[in-house]
Structure formats: C-alpha cells, structure tokens
Amino acid sequence: MLQLMQSDWQRMWKRKKTFVSLLIFVCIVLLDCLFLGMQRLGAFDNVSTVPLTAQNFSLFLLKEVSFFLVLIIGPILMIDSFNGEYHSGQLRLVLIRPISIMRMFAAKWINLAVIMGIFLVVTFGIGEVFGHLLKPSVDTVVFLNPDRSYDPTGAFMYCLQSYGLFMLILLAQLSVTGLICTLLPSPIICYLGWVGVAVGSMYVSNTFSFLLFGISTIFEWMAGSYTHAFLLPVFVCVTLGFAFTMLWWSRRNWVR
C-alpha cells in the first residue's frame, strides 16, 4: 500500500497542474493577506462583522480562499488524478501489473487528501504570520456569536478547529468527486457534474449546503446557530462516496 501511495504521489507531482495549482494558490493567499491587511472589519456575512485582529486573521483568510479550493483548485486536482489518468492511459499502464484496484483507489484518495491538507496548512500558516504582522493583537476576541469571547489561545484553537471542519468538507468533496469521475466520461463533464451536484444537493436538503457554502456553514456551526445537522451528512458523503466508488472500480473493465 505504501509503495502504491509513493508511486501515485510521484505521478501527481510530475503533472504540471499540481505544482502550478499550488504556486497559484500561494499567490492568491498572499494577495488576500494584503487585501485583508487593508480592511478594518472581517465579515461573516452581509450583516455580522467584527474588527480584524491578529487572532482572527487566519479565519477570514480561509473565507477568502475557500471559493478557490472548493470550486476551482480542489476539483481540478481531483478530476485530473482520477479521470485524467484514465484518459491519458497512465492508469492502464499502472494496472497492467498485479495491483489491487481497490488499493490503487485508496492510495489516490489518501494522496489527494494529503494534498488538500497541505493547501490548508499553507493557508493557516501564512494567515497566522501575516495576521501578527499586519494586525494588532488583542486580549479578547469574538467571532459570529457575540456572547462568547476568547483569549488568544482560545481564538487560535477556534481558528484551528474551523480549518479542521473545512478539511472534512474537502474530504466529502473528494469522495463525491471520485464517484462522479467514475460515472462520467470526460474531465470537463466531471467538473460540470461536480458543480451540478453541489448546487442540486441544496434543493434536496439544506443540510448539504456545506458542499458549496462550506465556510458559511462552519461560521454558523461554530457559533452554535446552525439549525441542521452538519457532521453526519459530511461523514455520509465521505463514507458512501468512498465505498461506492471503490465498489465501482472493482467492477469496471476499463481499470483492469
């Protein structure tokens, strides 16, 4: 399993899309840091705002870049790994050898999860550094719920937990995208399929709005004002998407 992960990891970074995506993303994060550095207030929504400080800077930085992760960079890397390798013939070349298809899929899923984690770690690290460089530190800070205040340590853990919840959303996206890539024929159609699923799921139930508006859901969840279930549908997307995709991979002839 470890050798499969290492092999897939090398193929991921040999593709220009992975390195270019990371480079572009870092540039976007830095530009958003400069943008937030010129702002006095951080907005949770159209109504609720709080003063921007060193303690909440990384949280609002995540809000600024979450769109790129959910709708651009994340889907591109996921679709390129799953569907792009099939159309380029790389997947067939790898699976000529006596390799377990299910282990191959698990290796790709884990590697993509690690890559998305790297994007979040980079965002959090840059946010913490630039937050203390550009904004003043305060003794207490409030977030969306004005009745709860946090000291610097509590604010740090609050931001860290928010990043962790966003990582769960990216894992749910990863599992759903993997299933879409297995069912649909081309990368472009897969991307449109992901957007369609993310938008259409909100019409099925508001509990799935996190697929498209993840950061807003996290803001409300952390404030204790989210009225629907959150963790349960996230884990449903992660587990069912992973299980159905692995089952489909084990039955389809084009990956044999």
Side-chain angles (χ1 to χ4, degrees), residues 93-107:
L93 291 176
V94 173
L95 292 173
I96 288 175
R97 293 170 289 178
I99 295 174
S100 169
I101 295 175
M102 299 175 72
R103 288 188 178 184
M104 185 69 233
F105 169 74

Side-chain angles (χ1 to χ4, degrees), residues 12 17 23-24 41 66 70 80 115 118 122 130 161 211:
M12 283 184 180
K17 288 182 182 178
L23 183 62
I24 292 175
L41 300 174
S66 61
V70 172
D80 186 54
I115 287 179
I118 290 174
V122 168
F130 275 81
Q161 185 178 350
L211 289 173

Side-chain angles (χ1 to χ4, degrees), residues 141-150 158 220-225:
V141 62
V142 296
F143 293 95
L144 184 58
N145 188 343
D147 297 327
R148 299 179 187 175
S149 60
Y150 300 85
Y158 187 102
E220 295 180 14
W221 177 265
M222 293 293 292
S225 59

Side-chain angles (χ1 to χ4, degrees), residues 172 207-208 210-211 226 228-239:
T207 58
F208 292 101
F210 66 85
L211 289 173
Y226 193 67
H228 303 286
F230 172 55
L231 293 180
L232 179 60
V234 168
F235 284 112
V236 167
C237 290
V238 172
T239 55

Side-chain angles (χ1 to χ4, degrees), residues 49-219:
T49 60
V50 294
L52 266 173
T53 67
Q55 283 67 39
N56 60 20
F57 189 90
S58 60
L59 182 64
F60 288 105
L61 179 61
L62 178 62
K63 177 192 174 186
E64 296 298 322
V65 304
S66 61
F67 168 82
F68 297 97
L69 286 174
V70 172
L71 285 180
I72 301 177
I73 295 177
I76 287 176
L77 293 179
M78 296 170 191
I79 292 171
D80 186 54
S81 179
F82 285 117
N83 206 297
E85 281 196 359
Y86 161 62
H87 281 276
S88 66
Q90 290 181 335
L91 193 59
R92 287 192 182 92
L93 291 176
V94 173
L95 292 173
I96 288 175
R97 293 170 289 178
I99 295 174
S100 169
I101 295 175
M102 299 175 72
R103 288 188 178 184
M104 185 69 233
F105 169 74
K108 296 180 77 63
W109 192 95
I110 293 172
N111 281 338
L112 284 167
V114 172
I115 287 179
M116 299 314 299
I118 290 174
F119 277 82
L120 284 184
V121 169
V122 168
T123 305
F124 185 76
I126 293 176
E128 287 296 312
V129 171
F130 275 81
H132 286 84
L133 289 175
L134 301 177
K135 293 298 177 182
S137 294
V138 294
D139 294 331
T140 59
V141 62
V142 296
F143 293 95
L144 184 58
N145 188 343
D147 297 327
R148 299 179 187 175
S149 60
Y150 300 85
D151 60 13
T153 301
F156 178 84
M157 296 306 298
Y158 187 102
C159 295
L160 191 62
Q161 185 178 350
S162 297
Y163 273 75
L165 292 173
F166 193 78
M167 182 64 195
L168 291 179
I169 293 175
L170 291 179
L171 293 181
Q173 178 190 15
L174 171 56
S175 291
V176 173
T177 303
L179 181 58
I180 294 172
C181 289
T182 303
L183 298 175
L184 298 180
S186 72
I188 295 177
I189 296 177
C190 286
Y191 180 81
L192 295 176
W194 156 248
V195 175
V197 168
V199 174
S201 62
M202 294 189 299
Y203 292 94
V204 176
S205 173
N206 287 334
T207 58
F208 292 101
S209 61
F210 66 85
L211 289 173
L212 195 60
F213 302 109
I215 193 63
S216 299
T217 301
I218 291 172
F219 284 159

